[in-house]
PDB file of all heavy atoms in Angstrom:
ATOM      1  N   ASN Z 441     -20.261  -5.978  35.574  1.00 93.00           N
ATOM      2  CA  ASN Z 441     -21.679  -6.425  35.660  1.00 93.00           C
ATOM      3  C   ASN Z 441     -21.703  -7.906  35.261  1.00 93.00           C
ATOM      4  O   ASN Z 441     -20.805  -8.530  35.089  1.00 93.00           O
ATOM      5  CB  ASN Z 441     -22.728  -5.503  34.903  1.00 93.00           C
ATOM      6  CG  ASN Z 441     -22.466  -5.511  33.442  1.00 93.00           C
ATOM      7  OD1 ASN Z 441     -21.764  -6.515  32.907  1.00 93.00           O
ATOM      8  ND2 ASN Z 441     -22.879  -4.479  32.769  1.00 93.00           N
ATOM      9  N   ASP Z 442     -23.051  -8.374  35.210  1.00 91.00           N
ATOM     10  CA  ASP Z 442     -23.188  -9.732  34.865  1.00 91.00           C
ATOM     11  C   ASP Z 442     -22.677 -10.204  33.533  1.00 91.00           C
ATOM     12  O   ASP Z 442     -22.510 -11.452  33.291  1.00 91.00           O
ATOM     13  CB  ASP Z 442     -24.781 -10.098  34.953  1.00 91.00           C
ATOM     14  CG  ASP Z 442     -25.328  -9.842  36.279  1.00 91.00           C
ATOM     15  OD1 ASP Z 442     -24.507  -9.978  37.335  1.00 91.00           O
ATOM     16  OD2 ASP Z 442     -26.606  -9.801  36.494  1.00 91.00           O
ATOM     17  N   THR Z 443     -22.558  -9.262  32.668  1.00 90.00           N
ATOM     18  CA  THR Z 443     -22.043  -9.607  31.321  1.00 90.00           C
ATOM     19  C   THR Z 443     -20.542  -9.279  31.246  1.00 90.00           C
ATOM     20  O   THR Z 443     -20.011  -9.233  30.175  1.00 90.00           O
ATOM     21  CB  THR Z 443     -22.808  -8.836  30.168  1.00 90.00           C
ATOM     22  OG1 THR Z 443     -22.630  -7.438  30.415  1.00 90.00           O
ATOM     23  CG2 THR Z 443     -24.182  -9.244  30.222  1.00 90.00           C
ATOM     24  N   GLY Z 444     -19.916  -9.014  32.357  1.00 90.00           N
ATOM     25  CA  GLY Z 444     -18.475  -8.698  32.366  1.00 90.00           C
ATOM     26  C   GLY Z 444     -18.059  -7.381  31.834  1.00 90.00           C
ATOM     27  O   GLY Z 444     -16.925  -7.124  31.372  1.00 90.00           O
ATOM     28  N   ALA Z 445     -19.064  -6.415  31.806  1.00 93.00           N
ATOM     29  CA  ALA Z 445     -18.871  -5.188  31.202  1.00 93.00           C
ATOM     30  C   ALA Z 445     -19.054  -4.095  32.234  1.00 93.00           C
ATOM     31  O   ALA Z 445     -19.567  -4.315  33.339  1.00 93.00           O
ATOM     32  CB  ALA Z 445     -19.860  -4.925  29.990  1.00 93.00           C
ATOM     33  N   PHE Z 446     -18.621  -2.838  31.854  1.00 91.00           N
ATOM     34  CA  PHE Z 446     -18.848  -1.720  32.730  1.00 91.00           C
ATOM     35  C   PHE Z 446     -18.837  -0.470  31.849  1.00 91.00           C
ATOM     36  O   PHE Z 446     -17.880  -0.223  31.000  1.00 91.00           O
ATOM     37  CB  PHE Z 446     -17.731  -1.529  33.763  1.00 91.00           C
ATOM     38  CG  PHE Z 446     -17.794  -0.265  34.610  1.00 91.00           C
ATOM     39  CD1 PHE Z 446     -18.691  -0.189  35.618  1.00 91.00           C
ATOM     40  CD2 PHE Z 446     -16.900   0.770  34.290  1.00 91.00           C
ATOM     41  CE1 PHE Z 446     -18.702   1.105  36.296  1.00 91.00           C
ATOM     42  CE2 PHE Z 446     -16.932   1.892  34.977  1.00 91.00           C
ATOM     43  CZ  PHE Z 446     -17.832   2.078  36.080  1.00 91.00           C
ATOM     44  N   ALA Z 447     -19.852   0.426  31.946  1.00 93.00           N
ATOM     45  CA  ALA Z 447     -19.859   1.641  31.090  1.00 93.00           C
ATOM     46  C   ALA Z 447     -19.472   2.859  32.075  1.00 93.00           C
ATOM     47  O   ALA Z 447     -19.771   2.846  33.284  1.00 93.00           O
ATOM     48  CB  ALA Z 447     -21.293   1.749  30.587  1.00 93.00           C
ATOM     49  N   PHE Z 448     -18.819   3.817  31.537  1.00 92.00           N
ATOM     50  CA  PHE Z 448     -18.400   4.896  32.205  1.00 92.00           C
ATOM     51  C   PHE Z 448     -18.699   6.195  31.506  1.00 92.00           C
ATOM     52  O   PHE Z 448     -18.821   6.196  30.252  1.00 92.00           O
ATOM     53  CB  PHE Z 448     -16.994   4.836  32.539  1.00 92.00           C
ATOM     54  CG  PHE Z 448     -16.028   4.758  31.296  1.00 92.00           C
ATOM     55  CD1 PHE Z 448     -15.626   5.965  30.746  1.00 92.00           C
ATOM     56  CD2 PHE Z 448     -15.695   3.579  30.760  1.00 92.00           C
ATOM     57  CE1 PHE Z 448     -14.788   5.882  29.638  1.00 92.00           C
ATOM     58  CE2 PHE Z 448     -14.856   3.516  29.644  1.00 92.00           C
ATOM     59  CZ  PHE Z 448     -14.439   4.666  29.080  1.00 92.00           C
ATOM     60  N   SER Z 449     -18.873   7.300  32.240  1.00 90.00           N
ATOM     61  CA  SER Z 449     -19.107   8.597  31.686  1.00 90.00           C
ATOM     62  C   SER Z 449     -18.427   9.584  32.623  1.00 90.00           C
ATOM     63  O   SER Z 449     -18.738   9.756  33.883  1.00 90.00           O
ATOM     64  CB  SER Z 449     -20.577   8.874  31.651  1.00 90.00           C
ATOM     65  OG  SER Z 449     -20.834  10.291  31.262  1.00 90.00           O
ATOM     66  N   ILE Z 450     -17.406  10.320  32.061  1.00 91.00           N
ATOM     67  CA  ILE Z 450     -16.574  11.267  32.875  1.00 91.00           C
ATOM     68  C   ILE Z 450     -16.787  12.621  32.307  1.00 91.00           C
ATOM     69  O   ILE Z 450     -16.624  12.815  31.132  1.00 91.00           O
ATOM     70  CB  ILE Z 450     -15.145  10.830  32.801  1.00 91.00           C
ATOM     71  CG1 ILE Z 450     -14.959   9.398  33.289  1.00 91.00           C
ATOM     72  CG2 ILE Z 450     -14.277  11.778  33.643  1.00 91.00           C
ATOM     73  CD1 ILE Z 450     -13.536   8.823  33.073  1.00 91.00           C
ATOM     74  N   PRO Z 451     -17.143  13.677  33.155  1.00 91.00           N
ATOM     75  CA  PRO Z 451     -17.212  14.975  32.709  1.00 91.00           C
ATOM     76  C   PRO Z 451     -15.972  15.521  31.916  1.00 91.00           C
ATOM     77  O   PRO Z 451     -14.947  15.396  32.527  1.00 91.00           O
ATOM     78  CB  PRO Z 451     -17.543  15.849  33.939  1.00 91.00           C
ATOM     79  CG  PRO Z 451     -18.033  14.856  34.872  1.00 91.00           C
ATOM     80  CD  PRO Z 451     -17.438  13.510  34.566  1.00 91.00           C
ATOM     81  N   ALA Z 452     -16.143  16.028  30.790  1.00 87.00           N
ATOM     82  CA  ALA Z 452     -14.928  16.402  30.001  1.00 87.00           C
ATOM     83  C   ALA Z 452     -14.337  17.646  30.636  1.00 87.00           C
ATOM     84  O   ALA Z 452     -13.135  17.931  30.407  1.00 87.00           O
ATOM     85  CB  ALA Z 452     -15.422  16.592  28.493  1.00 87.00           C
ATOM     86  N   ASP Z 453     -15.196  18.475  31.223  1.00 85.00           N
ATOM     87  CA  ASP Z 453     -14.675  19.786  31.784  1.00 85.00           C
ATOM     88  C   ASP Z 453     -13.741  19.471  32.970  1.00 85.00           C
ATOM     89  O   ASP Z 453     -13.104  20.442  33.408  1.00 85.00           O
ATOM     90  CB  ASP Z 453     -15.728  20.684  32.102  1.00 85.00           C
ATOM     91  CG  ASP Z 453     -16.811  20.058  33.091  1.00 85.00           C
ATOM     92  OD1 ASP Z 453     -16.525  18.987  33.567  1.00 85.00           O
ATOM     93  OD2 ASP Z 453     -17.856  20.704  33.195  1.00 85.00           O
ATOM     94  N   ALA Z 454     -13.683  18.270  33.474  1.00 86.00           N
ATOM     95  CA  ALA Z 454     -12.721  17.981  34.519  1.00 86.00           C
ATOM     96  C   ALA Z 454     -11.293  17.711  33.974  1.00 86.00           C
ATOM     97  O   ALA Z 454     -10.401  17.594  34.792  1.00 86.00           O
ATOM     98  CB  ALA Z 454     -13.206  16.806  35.313  1.00 86.00           C
ATOM     99  N   LEU Z 455     -11.196  17.708  32.733  1.00 88.00           N
ATOM    100  CA  LEU Z 455      -9.979  17.440  32.047  1.00 88.00           C
ATOM    101  C   LEU Z 455      -9.487  18.741  31.339  1.00 88.00           C
ATOM    102  O   LEU Z 455     -10.216  19.603  30.958  1.00 88.00           O
ATOM    103  CB  LEU Z 455     -10.046  16.259  31.105  1.00 88.00           C
ATOM    104  CG  LEU Z 455     -10.527  14.999  31.681  1.00 88.00           C
ATOM    105  CD1 LEU Z 455     -10.779  13.992  30.594  1.00 88.00           C
ATOM    106  CD2 LEU Z 455      -9.551  14.422  32.750  1.00 88.00           C
ATOM    107  N   SER Z 456      -8.157  18.783  31.057  1.00 89.00           N
ATOM    108  CA  SER Z 456      -7.699  19.951  30.324  1.00 89.00           C
ATOM    109  C   SER Z 456      -7.821  19.700  28.766  1.00 89.00           C
ATOM    110  O   SER Z 456      -7.962  18.556  28.283  1.00 89.00           O
ATOM    111  CB  SER Z 456      -6.192  20.044  30.613  1.00 89.00           C
ATOM    112  OG  SER Z 456      -5.408  18.873  30.206  1.00 89.00           O
ATOM    113  N   ILE Z 457      -7.841  20.762  28.094  1.00 90.00           N
ATOM    114  CA  ILE Z 457      -7.982  20.719  26.607  1.00 90.00           C
ATOM    115  C   ILE Z 457      -6.659  20.142  26.039  1.00 90.00           C
ATOM    116  O   ILE Z 457      -5.532  20.434  26.472  1.00 90.00           O
ATOM    117  CB  ILE Z 457      -8.187  22.110  26.048  1.00 90.00           C
ATOM    118  CG1 ILE Z 457      -9.373  22.790  26.567  1.00 90.00           C
ATOM    119  CG2 ILE Z 457      -8.150  22.096  24.499  1.00 90.00           C
ATOM    120  CD1 ILE Z 457      -9.702  24.192  26.184  1.00 90.00           C
ATOM    121  N   GLY Z 458      -6.888  19.146  25.132  1.00 90.00           N
ATOM    122  CA  GLY Z 458      -5.703  18.548  24.501  1.00 90.00           C
ATOM    123  C   GLY Z 458      -5.878  17.024  24.471  1.00 90.00           C
ATOM    124  O   GLY Z 458      -6.950  16.479  24.695  1.00 90.00           O
ATOM    125  N   SER Z 459      -4.722  16.375  24.312  1.00 92.00           N
ATOM    126  CA  SER Z 459      -4.746  14.900  24.162  1.00 92.00           C
ATOM    127  C   SER Z 459      -4.536  14.253  25.432  1.00 92.00           C
ATOM    128  O   SER Z 459      -3.747  14.670  26.375  1.00 92.00           O
ATOM    129  CB  SER Z 459      -3.631  14.472  23.123  1.00 92.00           C
ATOM    130  OG  SER Z 459      -3.535  12.997  23.070  1.00 92.00           O
ATOM    131  N   HIS Z 460      -5.213  13.052  25.735  1.00 94.00           N
ATOM    132  CA  HIS Z 460      -5.175  12.275  26.999  1.00 94.00           C
ATOM    133  C   HIS Z 460      -5.028  10.813  26.723  1.00 94.00           C
ATOM    134  O   HIS Z 460      -5.421  10.394  25.566  1.00 94.00           O
ATOM    135  CB  HIS Z 460      -6.383  12.620  27.778  1.00 94.00           C
ATOM    136  CG  HIS Z 460      -6.544  14.020  28.233  1.00 94.00           C
ATOM    137  ND1 HIS Z 460      -6.011  14.653  29.340  1.00 94.00           N
ATOM    138  CD2 HIS Z 460      -7.151  15.018  27.608  1.00 94.00           C
ATOM    139  CE1 HIS Z 460      -6.323  15.778  29.435  1.00 94.00           C
ATOM    140  NE2 HIS Z 460      -6.967  16.174  28.387  1.00 94.00           N
TER     141      HIS Z 460
END
Side-chain angles (χ1 to χ4, degrees):
N441 59 20
D442 294 340
T443 61
F446 173 77
F448 59 88
S449 177
I450 303 171
D453 55 11
L455 305 172
S456 60
I457 298 173
S459 179
H460 298 272

